[in-house]
Amino acid sequence: MKTGKIVSFGSRSKHCRICQRAKSSNKVPRVHKCHQNFSGSAKAMEPDIVCSMLGDIKSQGHTVKTLIGDDDATGYARARKEVFSHLEKHSDKNHLRKNITKKLYALKHVHKKSISTMIIKSLTKNFNYMLDQNRGNPDGIEKGLESVVEHMYGNHNYCSLEWCGALKNQQSHNKEHAEYKHSNLPYGRDLSDQELKADLKQIFEPLKSKIHVLANLGSSNPCESHMNTNSSKANKRIHYGGSFSFDRRLHAAIGQKNIGYSYISEVSRPLYYYEQCFDCSVLF
């Protein structure tokens, strides 16, 4: 959290290339170090790696207080049961925002004339601002969830003077809400479709049961950033998981994340020293 660097990692593979080739040829596989280290389902891989990494950290004498991730609680529940009983879970704000955006775009198939990409972007923008402005403030989140939709329909009773242009306009010029023009809605007008409003309420109102979660959102951006580095070393379109090539590529990606591109020279240095010492021993 403080350095943006990786403190633990792991990988799981259900395949071993040598074993698979031997099986397809009806032969006994030659003596080798098998790369297969997991036999469960693909869904069980992530919880298994999470518990393994937390266990490694615990064995080093360290404690993990908070786990940030998506709303899949399987890994969290298992980690709390097997490793740290006091572990807290914070939802990832990026996954939450993506889920909301996905639901808003789904409304375009139902309200083709009432909702556009411009309106969806305005809703997501208001929602994101509301979350960022009310970190650690559950009461502000509860009121803000109402304002996300009501503000766009001309009802500013739930808005805040800090960000609502209609309230600022009314206070400074003594004008009515109806004269306020939105900067990010078509023609600056309030929305009027009540059927759309009801569907929008169905998206945002269920979040009221997660007020305390929304007030303490975390971010998995460092992990997502590292996944891009992983993809550059081990592209998903090519199957590297059947051999230790994947682990080497994973180590290279971690070295690049934690050290930078100098990891290449750092890895090569011990081999260089070994060759020098070996030559000297031959000479003597």
Side-chain angles (χ1 to χ4, degrees):
M1 183 186 69
K2 294 183 178 180
T3 65
K5 295 185 178 182
I6 297 169
V7 295
S8 184
F9 66 95
S11 66
R12 296 293 182 270
S13 178
K14 298 174 64 176
H15 303 284
C16 174
R17 191 168 297 164
I18 296 176
C19 293
Q20 285 183 324
R21 286 180 178 176
K23 184 178 180 180
S24 62
S25 303
N26 294 322
K27 296 180 180 179
V28 178
R30 60 178 173 83
V31 178
H32 68 288
K33 186 177 180 181
C34 187
H35 187 245
Q36 181 179 348
N37 59 3
F38 193 77
S39 58
S41 64
K43 185 176 177 60
M45 280 186 176
E46 183 175 326
D48 189 68
I49 296 177
V50 169
C51 290
S52 176
M53 291 190 297
L54 291 176
D56 290 341
I57 294 173
K58 186 177 182 178
S59 65
Q60 298 172 16
H62 304 296
T63 301
V64 176
K65 181 181 178 181
T66 306
L67 193 65
I68 299 173
D70 55 21
D71 292 332
D72 184 5
T74 306
Y76 164 71
R78 182 174 168 182
R80 190 167 186 176
K81 180 180 179 181
E82 298 180 7
V83 190
F84 294 111
S85 59
H86 62 274
L87 193 66
E88 297 178 1
K89 183 181 185 299
H90 288 182
S91 296
D92 175 39
K93 60 183 179 182
N94 294 324
H95 283 86
L96 175 66
R97 291 168 177 174
K98 288 178 182 178
N99 290 337
I100 293 296
T101 303
K102 184 178 180 180
K103 291 178 180 179
L104 290 175
Y105 273 102
L107 291 180
K108 291 186 70 175
H109 302 288
V110 182
H111 305 278
K112 297 181 179 179
K113 295 182 179 180
S114 301
I115 189 169
S116 62
T117 301
M118 183 180 184
I119 295 174
I120 292 174
K121 288 183 178 180
S122 179
L123 283 165
T124 53
K125 181 180 178 181
N126 292 345
F127 180 68
N128 292 338
Y129 281 170
M130 184 273 296
L131 291 178
D132 292 336
Q133 291 170 355
N134 293 286
R135 290 180 181 177
N137 182 12
D139 294 334
I141 293 288
E142 184 176 12
K143 189 176 180 180
L145 286 173
E146 289 286 351
S147 68
V148 170
V149 177
E150 294 293 345
H151 171 77
M152 302 182 71
Y153 277 83
N155 180 9
H156 305 285
N157 294 328
Y158 301 97
C159 297
S160 171
L161 187 62
E162 295 180 0
W163 56 267
C164 181
L167 295 182
K168 292 179 180 178
N169 192 22
Q170 183 188 27
Q171 186 183 55
S172 60
H173 302 291
N174 195 24
K175 294 182 179 180
E176 297 297 329
H177 297 328
E179 298 181 13
Y180 170 71
K181 290 187 177 181
H182 297 271
S183 60
N184 50 4
L185 288 181
Y187 306 106
R189 299 173 184 171
D190 296 333
L191 299 181
S192 58
D193 190 332
Q194 296 302 314
E195 292 183 0
L196 173 61
K197 183 178 182 180
D199 288 341
L200 290 175
K201 289 281 189 179
Q202 290 182 1
I203 293 177
F204 290 101
E205 284 190 355
L207 296 177
K208 291 181 180 180
S209 61
K210 302 179 179 180
I211 291 175
H212 292 281
V213 175
L214 295 178
N216 296 284
L217 292 175
S219 175
S220 62
N221 280 341
C223 293
E224 299 295 336
S225 173
H226 176 65
M227 290 305 295
N228 291 331
T229 307
N230 275 344
S231 298
S232 67
K233 310 293 183 185
N235 198 297
K236 290 184 177 181
R237 66 183 180 85
I238 303 176
H239 179 56
Y240 293 108
S243 70
F244 285 97
S245 172
F246 176 77
D247 286 344
R248 296 186 185 99
R249 292 171 182 272
L250 177 62
H251 281 71
I254 292 169
Q256 180 175 322
K257 178 72 174 180
N258 284 2
I259 304 174
Y261 285 102
S262 62
Y263 82 93
I264 299 175
S265 59
E266 293 291 333
V267 170
S268 303
R269 185 177 300 172
L271 179 60
Y272 173 76
Y273 285 153
Y274 172 78
E275 290 176 347
Q276 293 295 314
C277 294
F278 181 78
D279 291 342
C280 291
S281 65
V282 171
L283 292 173
F284 283 102

